[in-house]
Amino acid sequence: MPDTQTPEPLLTSLAHGGGCGCKLAPNVLADILSEMPLALGSSDLIVDAATSDDAAVYRVNETTALVATTDFFTPIVDDPHTFGRIAATNALSDVFAMGARPIFSLAIVGMPIGKISNETIRAILAGGQSVAETAGAPIAGGHSIDAAEPIYGLVALGLVHPDKLLLNSGARAGDVLILGKPLGVGIYSAALKRGIIEDADYAEMIASTTRLNTPGTDLAGMAGVHAATDVTGFGLLGHLSEMCRGAGLTGVVEADRVPVFDGARRLAEAGVKTGASGRNWDSVRTSVTVQRPLSAPELDILCDPQTSGGLLVSCSAEAAESVLATFERHGHTGAAVIGRMETGVSGVTVV
């Protein structure tokens, strides 16, 4: 175990990346999976990997479907309890993005034994457990390994009526796009790693990344709500591109209407960004049309990898007020209309 006289290393110093910023770039992942079957052809497996949705879904019977997903990553913050909370919130987000109600979860744990103490590891697990219990998905078990970097996350399971599933492919032409949380978490995490984040900005980052995407459950089955996904490691443009590809539509983003944390915007204008934002742009640039000049910081924000980011909802214009009210009721005060879905070539247009 570590020498008790020597301070433990900071959690973020033990990881080459942090949070969802350490995800494989979309184009790299696509190449790796290019020779693997994504559509599995099972009649009861009603959502598989073919549409890059947030979770797999298995039909149990006519009224019940099981939603299954997993998510884990390396530390985005140094406080172990907070790291656990963020990782659990992020993993459960995929269940909410499908419109489901979480029921239980399993822990995924990889820790560098000998570099951090058992006490630190216990704090990570306790943070995750506290969020899982709040969400109604207690951690019932899991698996652990001795790893070179700290890794934590969950397998998350939920239930939903098959007719109320929120898919990322169900958007319709004429829908408006609503984003549930402001962008900028990746920029904040980069500033944290460089030791230049301000206390107020750190508090804002933690509040956002530990806020469960519970509006998703209420949005399921709501009239006029057609599609949803959560914005995480691929950034807004990456996850909206997946939504557009699934629906065969063009997503129009009004850049000036996209909510962004003030501190993150300030940091972006000072040149702070993650390495993942550039990789995200390289992955989507052929399917994104930019109709007005975007500064480098503006583009970085639109491609900024979000950890435990907000839901992106496609709904009819008539339902928009109800959707925004649902977000507000769940404490997501930063939700905003950011654009629309139109007929046209599958892809994203930024105006």
Side-chain angles (χ1 to χ4, degrees):
M1 297 305 300
D3 186 341
T4 56
Q5 302 304 311
T6 303
E8 286 188 35
L10 297 176
L11 285 177
T12 55
S13 73
L14 296 172
H16 72 286
C20 288
C22 61
K23 289 177 71 170
L24 295 180
N27 57 341
V28 173
L29 182 61
D31 181 65
I32 292 171
L33 299 177
S34 61
E35 298 182 10
M36 299 182 66
L38 299 181
L40 303 180
S42 169
S43 60
D44 287 323
L45 190 59
I46 54 180
V47 179
D48 55 21
T51 57
S52 302
D53 219 322
D54 297 296
V57 183
Y58 184 87
R59 188 196 313 273
V60 178
N61 53 45
E62 292 184 356
T63 60
T64 305
L66 176 68
V67 173
T69 182
T70 184
D71 213 314
F72 54 89
F73 46 62
T74 53
I76 187 175
V77 294
D78 292 311
D79 180 73
H81 192 270
T82 303
F83 169 42
R85 291 172 61 211
I86 294 171
T89 305
N90 180 76
L92 288 160
S93 181
D94 287 336
V95 174
F96 291 120
M98 303 299 291
R101 174 181 58 84
I103 53 172
F104 76 93
S105 52
L106 304 171
I108 298 170
V109 182
M111 294 292 157
I113 303 301
K115 292 183 180 179
I116 59 176
S117 67
N118 288 353
E119 181 181 6
T120 294
I121 298 171
R122 279 195 296 270
I124 295 171
L125 301 187
Q129 179 70 38
S130 68
V131 167
E133 290 180 349
T134 297
I139 298 173
H143 185 66
S144 60
I145 63 169
D146 187 351
E149 297 180 308
I151 296 169
Y152 180 69
L154 300 177
V155 173
L157 302 172
L159 298 176
V160 66
H161 192 291
D163 296 339
K164 295 184 178 181
L165 271 171
L166 292 177
L167 306 181
N168 68 353
S169 56
R172 301 179 188 179
D175 279 358
V176 298
L177 293 168
I178 294 175
L179 180 62
K181 294 181 183 180
L183 302 180
V185 169
I187 294 166
Y188 275 160
S189 68
L192 172 65
K193 201 153 190 177
R194 289 170 55 177
I196 59 173
I197 193 169
E198 296 183 4
D199 290 346
D201 295 338
Y202 178 78
E204 191 170 56
M205 179 182 77
I206 301 308
S208 178
T209 54
T210 57
R211 183 174 297 115
L212 288 160
N213 277 324
T214 49
T217 305
D218 285 354
L219 293 173
M222 183 183 294
V225 176
H226 300 139
T229 190
D230 62 337
V231 177
T232 54
F234 297 159
L236 174 62
L237 294 185
H239 289 284
L240 178 55
S241 293
E242 291 179 339
M243 183 179 280
C244 293
R245 185 164 56 250
L249 298 172
T250 297
V252 179
V253 174
E254 299 175 45
D256 290 340
R257 301 184 70 179
V258 176
V260 181
F261 292 120
D262 290 339
R265 191 184 298 278
R266 182 183 67 251
L267 287 163
E269 291 172 351
V272 178
K273 61 180 180 179
T274 71
S277 62
R279 296 194 297 272
N280 285 343
W281 173 242
D282 288 341
S283 296
V284 300
R285 62 193 312 162
T286 58
S287 61
V288 175
T289 301
V290 179
Q291 291 190 345
R292 72 163 180 84
L294 284 180
S295 66
E298 286 178 311
L299 188 59
D300 286 333
I301 288 169
L302 293 176
C303 296
D304 188 50
Q306 304 305 288
T307 298
S308 191
L311 296 179
L312 179 62
V313 178
S314 181
C315 66
S316 67
E318 295 77 13
E321 185 175 341
S322 295
V323 171
L324 289 171
T326 299
F327 276 110
E328 178 80 20
R329 188 170 65 251
H330 285 260
H332 291 244
T333 56
V337 174
I338 64 166
R340 59 193 181 274
M341 298 295 283
E342 296 181 346
T343 57
V345 177
S346 173
V348 178
T349 298
V350 181
V351 298

